[in-house]
Amino acid sequence: MTHWKDYTGYYKCTADTIYTCDTETSSYWILPDGRITGYDAKYSNEEYNEMVCGAVVYIWMLGINDEVIYGRDLHELPAALQKIREHAAEDIIVYVHNLAYDFQFFRNVFDFSDVFARTQRKPMYARAAGIEFRCSYMLTRLSLDSWGKQLNLEAKKQTGLLDYHVLRSPKTKLTDDELKYCEFDIKTMFYGLRRYQMKYGSVKDIVLTQTGEVRKPVKQMFQKDNGYHFRITKLQPATFEEYKRMKAAFWGGDTHANRRNACKVHKHVGSFDKTSDYPYQMCAERYPMTKFMQCSTDLRFMKPDVYAYIIMLDLYGVKSKCSTTYISKSHTVLCDAGWCVNLEKVYNRKTGERLIVPKRRKKLICDNGRIIDAEHVVLTITEQDLPIIQACYEIREMKVTAVWRSRKDYLPKKYIEFILDLYEKKTQLKGEKDFEDLYLQSKQFLNSLFGMMVTDILMADIKFKDNTWLEVEELTADQITDKLQDIHKKWYKNDLAYQWGIWVTAYARRELLEAVLYVGDDECYHDTDSVKMLHYWKYFDYFRMKDAEMDQKLKAMCDYYGIDFERTRPRKKNGKGEAVPLGHWDFEAVYREAVFEGAKKYCYNTASADYTCYDYKKKKWVHVHNIHITVAGVPKAAAAQLHHISEFHDALEFDRETCGKKLLIYLDGNNACIEMPDGYVVKDKYAVCMRNNGYTLGITDDYATVIGVINEAKGIIRFNVA
């Protein structure tokens, strides 16, 4: 039991017992003839859309450490938790994996007094009657199955023992296998959370989110350095205009398919990948360290090595001069195609007059959201974006409307050493079974460092009141100003500057686009820190040259801070293997065939047919499908339905039974209250109905026109298949 003092000065106590909770639900639909059915593949999506649907909890499980209690009626759960609370400390914390799902059903039986969420329907915690529910998925960002496998927990999810599509109710008799499935969901959570408890000392002190895990050591790093907190507070935006300007300058990572090579099957595509790109940028580059002040709009006097610049531009007559496009329409304040000017006179047959055709607006030409041709573009950029824009576009006139600058310097030494420590552990411990936990933590921390920087410092309030999610209202200028003032008042909470994250991505984009422009028309696709290209063998010298430049930047940083340069190139196999330099371009693979349909939509193979290989982790021979896909929102396992790479094209439908996607229908007060076939009466109003869902690969008609693909009557005609 942990005793602690809250903000009011009163002592409280929290039980160190690990409490976990889970539910299993059954979705149902009412057929036109009034019969009730569970999910059945024979009904089409259109038929499902016409049916009234609902869902019911048919079993709940409550874990007290590794002991599991079962209950069949959800309305019994509050009483069970209250009995536990009576025999425990004042507060109990109950973990639920993917609380966003179970919370919808809990609304039927709990009166929540305090709900904290960053986005609607995704609570991080929810409190009711002295019980605090927390989401363990927010903490791990892993499915229950992956959590057990990746950390090799003492208990693992028993995938396959329970069929979700079978219609069940609280009266349904469950088999031993089905009960085992339920039991091991709870045990997997317990053994996973026990490791967090051992790490943090008590359940109360476990952080809420994965990003919070790395935020905690960063806070501790600067905890007693008031001078550092004051300096960081000065960097925070103080006005609505400053905040909006920084938001406009943040473009994030760059992902795009080269329009010359999109929607074509290519052979022998090489892929270069940058090692830990964002951690490298944080160590090697200099960042804005003073408040942004307005300066001259004459760009000839810019000193990009000394100052970071935020630049507001008006561009006229913008036209792409190569196959690489950079300006995303979504990042512009104004994007106007201009007017068609036609001075030709037209003969009017009815009146016999000759008329001048009135002006009409041009259609904006875009390359899957990237500007190809526009008359007027207004946008906010950094000094890192300017040379890339000038290399990609011909611009008739460029007006600089305003410029702000901040003096650059390296990130704090403590922070850089923290990054290098994590990178060293990640590299040295990869594949070492005895240190798997430490490896996964180092990898997770490295991935979270950037996310922690660019977390929006101002979030709209997500409110849950009277058992209802209230509509999210966008913050007004006055509300933003008030929140910014509050940030400056609470100076002791400021650990990182938002603008550092802006420049992390800006530096990464510049290096990525320099490589893309060098490769030119051979480039097929790029994504944040990787480039995929034809004739890859021609570019090894270029990437080795860039690696040498990366080393020089890291050496300069190490000399500045007195850090051993060898820390930027740790060795594999616990320090006994080959060196893995931070930020180097690695030759990742050669794809035998590949096709790129757009951002986050591509397919490749590495062999001519499926094959069998020995999996040393599973210690058995496994079948390997030769086709692999990356499609945002579609599980990679969906590639199993493809027999040849040419089948991956616009209008491809991933079958809902093999795709692995789920369609969730949230029922707020309109859950179908029915009598189940076994006589159980569903009375709950809140539920989530879930069924299998497919995915159709698609491109817009405008993009199809740009890349030379014609879409006629929902059929596809392809040109120039490589």
Side-chain angles (χ1 to χ4, degrees):
M1 186 174 294
T2 300
H3 296 267
W4 54 284
K5 187 186 290 186
D6 72 0
Y7 69 95
T8 63
Y10 288 96
Y11 280 94
K12 290 187 175 183
C13 53
T14 304
D16 282 336
T17 305
I18 296 176
Y19 297 104
T20 52
C21 183
D22 192 20
T23 64
E24 296 300 336
T25 67
S26 189
S27 297
Y28 53 81
W29 289 262
I30 304 176
L31 296 171
D33 61 5
R35 290 181 297 119
I36 308 299
T37 180
Y39 177 79
D40 194 327
K42 70 181 181 182
Y43 298 111
S44 67
N45 289 336
E46 291 73 19
E47 288 176 304
Y48 275 116
N49 292 338
E50 293 295 323
M51 297 182 199
V52 175
C53 63
V56 62
V57 174
Y58 62 85
I59 185 172
W60 54 263
M61 299 80 69
L62 191 59
I64 305 174
N65 290 331
D66 61 345
E67 297 294 326
V68 183
I69 300 171
Y70 296 102
R72 298 304 303 273
D73 192 322
L74 184 63
H75 292 260
E76 299 168 350
L77 178 61
L81 283 170
Q82 285 302 324
K83 281 191 175 182
I84 292 172
R85 184 171 173 268
E86 287 171 9
H87 291 86
E90 182 177 329
D91 299 323
I92 65 170
I93 295 170
V94 181
Y95 275 92
V96 182
H97 204 70
N98 193 12
L99 179 58
Y101 182 82
D102 295 87
F103 179 80
Q104 182 72 358
F105 292 93
F106 287 172
R107 291 168 67 183
N108 294 298
V109 294
F110 290 101
D111 182 13
F112 290 103
S113 58
D114 182 16
V115 177
F116 176 69
R118 291 289 190 189
T119 55
Q120 265 198 349
R121 299 196 183 279
K122 293 185 178 180
M124 294 182 185
Y125 68 71
R127 294 173 180 149
I131 300 159
E132 180 179 311
F133 293 98
R134 289 189 186 179
C135 182
S136 54
Y137 175 76
M138 290 285 187
L139 176 62
T140 63
R141 287 292 175 182
L142 294 171
S143 67
L144 209 53
D145 189 35
S146 298
W147 194 5
K149 289 177 180 177
Q150 286 192 19
L151 272 69
N152 195 25
L153 299 176
E154 294 86 336
K156 298 179 180 64
K157 186 177 178 68
Q158 301 296 295
T159 304
L161 291 186
L162 185 143
D163 184 353
Y164 284 101
H165 298 154
V166 174
L167 183 62
R168 300 182 181 90
S169 82
K171 288 187 174 182
T172 305
K173 185 176 180 180
L174 301 180
T175 66
D176 289 342
D177 278 348
E178 290 168 340
L179 290 171
K180 182 181 179 181
Y181 177 93
C182 299
E183 175 189 1
F184 274 76
D185 274 7
I186 291 291
K187 288 191 172 182
T188 302
M189 275 195 282
F190 163 70
Y191 286 113
L193 289 165
R194 188 170 68 171
R195 298 194 184 188
Y196 283 100
Q197 183 190 38
M198 293 168 65
K199 177 180 176 180
Y200 289 102
S202 71
V203 174
K204 178 187 74 69
D205 292 326
I206 297 175
V207 295
L208 290 177
T209 65
Q210 188 185 65
T211 304
E213 271 220 274
V214 68
R215 195 181 297 277
K216 194 162 187 172
V218 170
K219 281 185 174 294
Q220 292 171 347
M221 193 186 305
F222 302 108
Q223 193 169 19
K224 297 180 180 180
D225 191 345
N226 289 344
Y228 172 82
H229 288 293
F230 279 124
R231 291 193 298 273
I232 295 300
T233 301
K234 288 181 180 178
L235 296 180
Q236 305 296 340
T239 65
F240 170 74
E241 290 75 17
E242 285 182 55
Y243 172 73
K244 285 297 184 183
R245 194 158 55 238
M246 286 187 185
K247 292 286 288 181
F250 177 62
W251 284 21
D254 196 88
T255 303
H256 200 61
N258 189 313
R259 67 179 185 272
R260 290 185 184 274
N261 296 317
C263 298
K264 302 174 185 177
V265 178
H266 297 281
K267 293 185 178 181
H268 310 303
V269 176
S271 178
F272 286 86
D273 185 80
K274 212 163 184 292
T275 306
S276 295
D277 188 18
Y278 284 174
Y280 162 79
Q281 304 298 347
M282 286 186 263
C283 290
E285 298 290 357
R286 295 173 184 261
Y287 291 84
M289 288 294 176
T290 60
K291 190 173 182 63
F292 276 92
M293 304 298 291
Q294 197 157 3
C295 62
S296 170
T297 58
D298 192 337
L299 299 184
R300 293 175 299 173
F301 299 106
M302 273 206 322
K303 298 178 181 178
D305 293 333
V306 180
Y307 295 99
Y309 293 87
I310 295 177
I311 308 165
M312 294 183 69
L313 294 176
D314 272 77
L315 306 179
Y316 296 90
V318 180
K319 191 170 185 179
S320 174
K321 59 184 179 183
C322 60
S323 58
T324 300
T325 48
Y326 183 64
I327 302 174
S328 175
K329 185 181 175 184
S330 63
H331 291 141
T332 62
V333 178
L334 172 68
C335 190
D336 186 12
W339 296 91
C340 291
V341 180
N342 190 343
L343 300 179
E344 180 184 355
K345 292 183 178 180
V346 177
Y347 177 71
N348 187 322
R349 292 183 180 180
K350 290 184 178 180
T351 64
E353 295 178 323
R354 291 187 177 273
L355 303 174
I356 296 178
V357 176
K359 290 196 300 183
R360 57 186 174 83
R361 283 203 170 276
K362 288 182 182 177
K363 188 174 184 180
L364 189 68
I365 302 176
C366 288
D367 169 14
N368 204 18
R370 305 290 180 90
I371 294 171
I372 295 178
D373 191 346
E375 176 57 29
H376 185 199
V377 176
V378 180
L379 71 166
T380 302
I381 64 171
T382 71
E383 82 285 353
Q384 300 299 314
D385 299 303
L386 185 60
I388 301 300
I389 290 173
Q390 291 171 328
C392 292
Y393 295 95
E394 292 177 354
I395 301 170
R396 187 176 69 246
E397 182 183 3
M398 180 170 68
K399 289 183 179 179
V400 182
T401 55
V403 179
W404 293 262
R405 74 178 188 182
S406 167
R407 183 172 285 275
K408 289 181 178 179
D409 202 350
Y410 291 113
L411 294 181
K413 182 180 179 180
K414 288 181 183 178
Y415 194 71
I416 290 177
E417 288 184 318
F418 181 56
I419 295 170
L420 293 177
D421 285 341
L422 293 174
Y423 181 66
E424 184 178 31
K425 290 174 184 175
K426 174 196 167 188
T427 304
Q428 291 182 347
L429 303 181
K430 186 176 182 179
E432 299 290 323
K433 290 184 178 179
D434 295 338
F435 301 97
E436 195 165 0
D437 280 8
L438 192 55
Y439 162 74
L440 289 172
Q441 176 184 287
S442 301
K443 182 179 178 181
Q444 172 199 317
F445 276 23
L446 269 178
N447 294 337
S448 298
L449 284 172
F450 166 72
M452 184 173 59
M453 276 185 178
V454 294
T455 300
D456 198 341
I457 58 175
L458 301 182
M459 302 287 287
D461 294 330
I462 307 298
K463 297 179 180 178
F464 183 83
K465 188 177 180 181
D466 297 331
N467 211 19
T468 303
W469 290 103
L470 303 184
E471 187 176 346
V472 181
E473 297 179 358
E474 190 172 336
L475 294 175
T476 65
D478 289 340
Q479 288 174 325
I480 289 174
T481 302
D482 290 342
K483 285 178 177 285
L484 290 173
Q485 289 176 356
D486 192 50
I487 288 172
H488 281 262
K489 287 178 184 176
K490 297 178 180 177
W491 54 268
Y492 48 88
K493 288 188 174 183
N494 299 323
D495 301 298
L496 298 172
Y498 179 73
Q499 51 264 51
W500 293 351
I502 298 173
W503 262 260
V504 169
T505 58
Y507 284 127
R509 285 196 309 273
R510 188 205 66 214
E511 289 183 0
L512 177 69
L513 267 293
E514 283 176 353
V516 168
L517 288 166
Y518 185 86
V519 173
D521 289 346
D522 278 344
E523 186 240 351
C524 294
Y525 181 84
H526 63 267
D527 185 354
T528 310
D529 59 359
S530 67
V531 186
K532 306 183 191 305
M533 67 198 72
L534 306 172
H535 310 119
Y536 59 89
W537 54 88
K538 300 193 309 188
Y539 303 105
F540 278 98
D541 289 344
Y542 169 80
F543 287 109
R544 296 291 78 83
M545 177 191 72
K546 298 304 289 185
D547 288 346
E549 291 180 10
M550 309 298 164
D551 287 343
Q552 290 302 315
K553 287 187 176 182
L554 285 171
K555 282 181 181 177
M557 179 276 297
C558 290
D559 291 342
Y560 182 84
Y561 275 135
I563 296 173
D564 183 2
F565 176 66
E566 289 303 311
R567 294 184 65 185
T568 68
R569 46 207 313 112
R571 296 182 176 275
K572 293 180 179 178
K573 297 183 179 178
N574 219 356
K576 300 175 183 178
E578 63 177 309
V580 185
L582 178 64
H584 274 209
W585 286 96
D586 286 337
F587 184 63
E588 183 187 23
V590 176
Y591 304 149
R592 182 177 175 273
E593 294 175 312
V595 57
F596 303 90
E597 290 280 323
K600 303 291 185 184
K601 289 190 287 189
Y602 64 89
C603 176
Y604 65 92
N605 63 34
T606 53
S608 58
D610 293 0
Y611 57 92
T612 303
C613 70
Y614 190 76
D615 188 322
Y616 286 92
K617 285 188 176 180
K618 296 180 179 179
K619 296 182 180 180
K620 63 179 182 179
W621 291 90
V622 294
H623 176 266
V624 179
H625 188 53
N626 75 310
I627 297 178
H628 309 271
I629 64 168
T630 294
V631 179
V634 176
K636 293 186 182 296
Q641 80 174 66
L642 300 176
H643 303 291
H644 191 274
I645 198 167
S646 61
E647 297 173 8
F648 188 86
H649 55 67
D650 183 28
L652 166 67
E653 291 189 7
F654 286 99
D655 179 63
R656 72 184 187 192
E657 305 309 318
T658 58
C659 180
K661 283 177 68 68
K662 301 294 182 184
L663 176 66
L664 302 183
I665 304 167
Y666 282 84
L667 302 167
D668 292 327
N670 57 337
N671 186 41
C673 296
I674 57 155
E675 182 177 341
M676 303 284 279
D678 60 6
Y680 180 82
V681 178
V682 180
K683 297 179 180 178
D684 295 334
K685 296 180 179 180
Y686 300 95
V688 183
C689 185
M690 181 170 61
R691 63 176 172 86
N692 290 352
N693 195 27
Y695 178 85
T696 301
L697 199 65
I699 58 177
T700 65
D701 291 340
D702 288 343
Y703 186 50
T705 302
V706 167
I707 64 176
V709 177
I710 300 176
N711 189 339
E712 292 184 346
K714 297 184 180 179
I716 301 299
I717 299 175
R718 291 178 168 275
F719 300 143
N720 305 324
V721 177

